[in-house]
Amino acid sequence: MVRVRIAPSPTGAIHIGLARSALYNFLFARQNNGKFILRIEDTDPSRSTRESVEAILEGLKWLSLYWDEGPYFQSQRFPIYKEYAEILLKEGRAYYCYCSQERLKAEKEKALKEKRSWQYDRHCLYLSKKEKEKLEREGVPKVIRFLVPSERNIVFEDIIHGRIEKSGRDVEDFILLRADGTPTYNFACVVDDALMEITHVIRAVEHISNTFKQILLYEALNFKIPYFAHLPLILGKDGKKLSKRHGAVSIMEYKKMGILPEALVNYLALLGWSPGGDLEIFSLEEAIKLFKLEKVKKSNAIFDFQKLEWMNSEYMKRSTNERLLMGVKPFLIERNLSLDKEDERRLLTIIEINKERSRNLNELADNIAIYLKEEITYDEEGVKKFLDEKGKENLKELLKVYEDLTDFNKETTEKVLRELANNLNKKPAEFIHPLRLALTGKLVGPPIFDVVNVMGKELVIKRIKKALTLTLDNYSQNN
């Protein structure tokens, strides 16, 4: 059975790179009827927080990347790592190192001055029994180092990058357990992946350098070596490493911006892989069927926030009004807008006429707020252009007609406006533009008679009267 895992360190919220790795692991597991496992690599208590763990869980759930097993916590597995480290010590594949940080620092600085690369010189491997006993009596702190077989090459076949090779001479005797008994990343990772029977390790390309060390550990402990697939980097449009200047990097920041999780999942899937053809919009279920790990590209992926926003707008157009209402409610509450159960039908109608003009839930909430708030903000250029003397005169004429209208709906309000324009030998646009500005404060928006219909007679009359009191001077002062 295929078994994959995502293993974040709880030092912050889930970010784009981790989310993409989680998604690819999830897709591969579901596609192969396998298991998707969550492991929290919290071996560093000084940097790991419960808040970060909760943020990771929340982020994965928001993206609908539900795990089958876990979360497992490495901090609860220290005795297991110690047991396997002692096996390596007994077999002569590891040794105690008593070197102080001062000695190691001095050796590194010496190598730097001599313009040569530095590796640990195995000083403690060659200590005599007497020297070791003396260090033990003195209570000198010690770590456990792995004895790298330097006379051989380390080779593995990466699913994405093909054959990768490195000489053992280029890998130093790395630490397995620190002096305080905590395991290093490479050691804990191998022990856990083996005991959790992970078949495929799908992770970021930065981990290739770790893979050589991990393969040596798999072999030394007689563990089965999994398949490896290293995913390309995600860069900003400027070709530099993704950072806050390229857009939010925490997944939950995108939620706050009003991005739909299904749109973000779709976009993440395309950061390094393509289903082929012109297909860009697909569901998580479709991605499970289409995804091919071996088709993931070697080249770096480019994160384009504008493309994500476009994709999100496409998802909003295709979403049901009920789905969007569920998503937009928190944004309306943030704006202190009361939501009565009886208003939901009206909200669904408002969403229907505004969703194609909203790139995200935040924008949708702003557009909905126009129908719910007492006061609206008017576009200053619009006030200057359409609420001049001529525009107000047209609004006054329209107000008389609308006040007398008993059957107030989309069809009747359009009909009487066009009749009014015809009777006064004017164009309908001369009434429509001031009306839109009066009702919404904006120059563009949904079809104006849809807006009139949803707002209803009382609010339409109220907004027109308010607009007639506006002048550019008092509007500028109030805003």
Side-chain angles (χ1 to χ4, degrees), residues 303-320:
F303 181 84
D304 183 347
F305 182 74
Q306 283 70 38
K307 179 72 179 287
L308 169 60
E309 203 165 42
W310 166 80
M311 186 168 284
N312 194 67
S313 69
E314 290 297 308
Y315 266 86
M316 291 190 68
K317 290 174 190 174
R318 301 173 189 207
S319 292
T320 65

Side-chain angles (χ1 to χ4, degrees), residues 187-305:
F187 186 51
C189 180
V190 167
V191 172
D192 284 343
D193 281 349
L195 298 184
M196 294 175 188
E197 299 180 313
I198 301 302
T199 59
H200 296 73
V201 174
I202 305 167
R203 60 188 179 188
V205 72
E206 298 101 314
H207 285 289
I208 284 180
S209 60
N210 290 319
T211 304
F212 299 108
K213 297 176 183 178
Q214 292 175 10
I215 286 173
L216 293 174
L217 287 171
Y218 278 109
E219 293 174 342
L221 290 165
N222 292 314
F223 289 149
K224 185 176 180 180
I225 300 173
Y227 296 99
F228 291 97
H230 288 92
L231 309 175
L233 288 172
I234 301 175
L235 305 177
K237 287 177 75 175
D238 56 4
K240 295 180 180 177
K241 192 172 181 181
L242 197 63
S243 67
K244 287 185 179 179
R245 71 177 179 277
H246 300 111
V249 288
S250 162
I251 290 300
M252 302 317 286
E253 285 299 309
Y254 292 100
K255 182 180 181 182
K256 291 176 185 174
M257 290 160 55
I259 300 295
L260 297 172
E262 50 267 43
L264 184 55
V265 164
N266 189 156
Y267 185 69
L268 288 173
L270 295 171
L271 290 178
W273 167 79
S274 168
D278 298 326
L279 184 62
E280 284 191 300
I281 307 291
F282 46 81
S283 67
L284 185 58
E285 291 71 27
E286 290 170 319
I288 290 169
K289 295 175 185 174
L290 295 168
F291 182 71
K292 297 287 183 230
L293 184 58
E294 65 274 13
K295 295 292 184 182
V296 172
K297 300 166 190 169
K298 297 179 187 178
S299 55
N300 296 328
I302 302 299
F303 181 84
D304 183 347
F305 182 74

Side-chain angles (χ1 to χ4, degrees), residues 368-382:
I368 291 173
I370 291 168
Y371 300 79
L372 306 180
K373 290 193 303 185
E374 279 295 314
E375 298 292 331
I376 59 171
T377 303
Y378 299 86
D379 180 90
E380 191 167 340
E381 284 302 309

Side-chain angles (χ1 to χ4, degrees), residues 8-16 18-19 22 38 40 48-65 67 71 73 249-253 255-256:
S9 297
T11 55
I14 183 171
H15 54 77
I16 285 292
L18 178 60
L38 174 59
I40 304 295
S48 301
T49 66
R50 187 67 210 174
E51 292 75 20
S52 292
V53 172
E54 293 301 327
I56 289 166
L57 302 184
E58 182 187 7
L60 292 173
K61 287 176 184 176
W62 182 62
L63 295 173
S64 294
L65 303 181
W67 52 96
F73 292 86
V249 288
S250 162
I251 290 300
M252 302 317 286
E253 285 299 309
K255 182 180 181 182
K256 291 176 185 174

Side-chain angles (χ1 to χ4, degrees), residues 19 32 42 107 118-119 146 310 359 388 407 428 440 447 450 475:
N32 291 282
D42 58 343
E107 289 294 317
W118 180 85
Q119 281 189 353
F146 182 71
W310 166 80
R359 292 171 297 176
D388 56 3
D407 191 10
T440 69
D450 285 336
Y475 172 72

